[in-house]
Amino acid sequence: MTDVRTRWRDFRHGVSARFDRLPKASKIGLIVVFIVFLYALPNKGFYEYLGLPLGEYIPLYTTRNDMATVLFQCGYYILLALGLNIVVGYAGLLDLGFFGFFAVGAYTVATLTSPRSKIFTEYNWLESPWPWLVALPIAIALSLLAGVILGWPVLRLRGDYLAIVTLGFAEMIRIVAQQNDWIFNGDRGISEIAHPPGKNADGSPIFAFDAKPYYWLVLTVIIGMVFLIRNLVRSRVGRAWVAIREDEDAAELMGVPTYKFKIWAFAMGAGIGGFSGALWAGQANFVNASTFRLEQSILVLAAVLLGGAGNIGGAILGGFLVIYVPEWLRSIGDVFGLPENVRIAGEPYDISATNLRYLFFGIILIVVMIFRPQGLWPNRRRAAEIKDREKEAMVGA
């Protein structure tokens, strides 16, 4: 196992070194080709050729679910992972309730754009539903404000105490939405949410129930967000976040206003989470409280840790894998002809790949966290820290 890990590390470092030695024009060309590949990915005439001819042809695309829909789901989880990566990966703040900001963005868009919303049907606070594009900046602003309001009293806490408070925030959002009938309509939710604007040449809406345009939209947003976060991390703000993550007390002694920068990290992450929620609500066309469960917050945190906290590429990779791999595992039964059910003592049991996919994915996560605790694509500094800790533990033993 050690030999395999060494070979993989050498291969990865060799590829990285070759890419770093390429001229700037070649790097840009490769990035452009990769982006074109991503935009072409949801087209059936393109993705159906993606597979591995290993005796049986193993498709790398999903066969049980629409590929474009799965890619869109990956997209908004990647956005969530990018937002949480600011909080956890760069500022070092453990947030277990990040999905609450996703709920704030989704409910804001639903409340302002749906003709079924009670602010139009019962209370007449507004004359008519707003367009999705008008509601979007308000959703982002309210999510950002929620981050500031939550962070202002609790960011003086650290570690487990901060994690418990943020977990309570997410559960509070879900319970209020579930039990509040006067605006959010409880478990019945809000339907007929507006879609993003745009029409085809024949006058039909671009954004209706076809997932492809939504995937292209969220992919464009992700690309823009990567540039924004990359520049932010390389700025004075990003350096302050890293200093806080490494040693908050030392950073404060050196004159870094740690409380202010932690608030900024919380607010930035919350705004991105709200943006993701607004995109999802526009595509789902329906919102209710059962969507915003605790498992979703844990899944986003797992995405950041799996990919590699403190690295933009790692957050993207983790956000993609936590959604795509379970959906792809549905296809395994079709490829190998596995049985769907089995009878034990006369009782039928569902053993299909669809039913057991999260078991397999959980095992994969455990194995990765054992052998790659720094994540699949870690930040170089963070990977070096973990390696140093391993050496210290070996010396102590």
Side-chain angles (χ1 to χ4, degrees), residues 45-339:
F46 180 77
Y47 70 70
E48 65 183 1
Y49 293 102
L50 301 177
L52 299 174
L54 301 176
E56 293 282 348
Y57 181 77
I58 302 176
L60 295 179
Y61 54 90
T62 58
T63 60
R64 290 291 186 98
N65 260 353
D66 177 53
M67 180 71 167
T69 301
V70 174
L71 289 173
F72 172 68
Q73 292 172 353
C74 293
Y76 69 76
Y77 263 88
I78 287 171
L79 266 183
L80 284 167
L82 286 171
L84 186 59
N85 190 46
I86 292 176
V87 180
V88 174
Y90 291 117
L93 307 171
L94 184 55
D95 186 351
L96 294 182
F98 191 74
F99 213 73
F101 302 118
F102 179 91
V104 170
Y107 266 112
T108 301
V109 167
T111 304
L112 293 176
T113 67
S114 170
R116 300 286 185 181
S117 172
K118 289 190 174 182
I119 68 173
F120 305 112
T121 59
E122 291 190 16
Y123 306 118
N124 298 315
W125 292 347
L126 297 172
E127 292 183 2
S128 61
W130 293 9
W132 181 87
L133 198 59
V134 176
L136 175 64
I138 297 175
I140 297 172
L142 286 180
S143 301
L144 193 148
L145 180 62
V148 173
I149 292 174
L150 175 65
W152 178 64
V154 307
L155 282 180
R156 300 188 188 280
L157 303 174
R158 299 184 187 180
D160 298 340
Y161 302 102
L162 177 61
I164 292 170
V165 172
T166 54
L167 175 61
F169 164 75
E171 282 298 283
M172 179 184 70
I173 295 290
R174 184 187 64 81
I175 292 170
V176 167
Q178 188 175 41
Q179 298 182 353
N180 187 330
D181 192 57
W182 68 283
I183 288 184
F184 300 130
N185 215 20
D187 274 333
R188 288 170 294 176
I190 304 174
S191 60
E192 297 184 32
I193 301 170
H195 299 293
K199 291 186 177 181
N200 293 307
D202 60 359
S204 61
I206 296 174
F207 296 95
F209 295 100
D210 181 10
K212 286 182 188 177
Y214 288 98
Y215 165 69
W216 290 326
L217 175 62
V218 77
L219 178 58
T220 304
V221 171
I222 289 170
I223 292 171
M225 205 62 68
V226 166
F227 281 105
L228 174 65
I229 296 173
R230 183 172 176 270
N231 290 331
L232 191 63
V233 168
R234 295 184 176 190
S235 70
R236 174 173 170 264
V237 176
R239 291 192 292 272
W241 286 341
V242 172
I244 292 169
R245 184 191 71 198
E246 299 299 327
D247 191 327
E248 185 175 345
D249 293 329
E252 197 159 5
L253 287 172
M254 294 299 292
V256 176
T258 56
Y259 183 69
K260 180 181 78 172
F261 283 113
K262 287 196 293 184
I263 289 282
W264 283 14
F266 237 63
M268 282 289 298
I272 296 172
F275 197 164
S276 180
L279 288 169
W280 171 80
Q283 191 270 342
N285 200 232
F286 175 77
V287 169
N288 76 345
S290 63
T291 307
F292 312 109
R293 302 185 304 273
L294 170 62
E295 305 95 272
Q296 310 299 329
S297 289
I298 303 302
L299 193 60
V300 179
L301 180 61
V304 174
L305 298 179
L306 173 65
N311 187 24
I312 294 174
I316 293 173
L317 178 62
F320 174 78
L321 291 178
V322 296
I323 298 300
Y324 194 81
V325 171
E327 292 299 328
W328 176 78
L329 285 173
R330 291 174 183 258
S331 311
I332 296 298
D334 296 335
V335 174
F336 296 103
L338 300 177

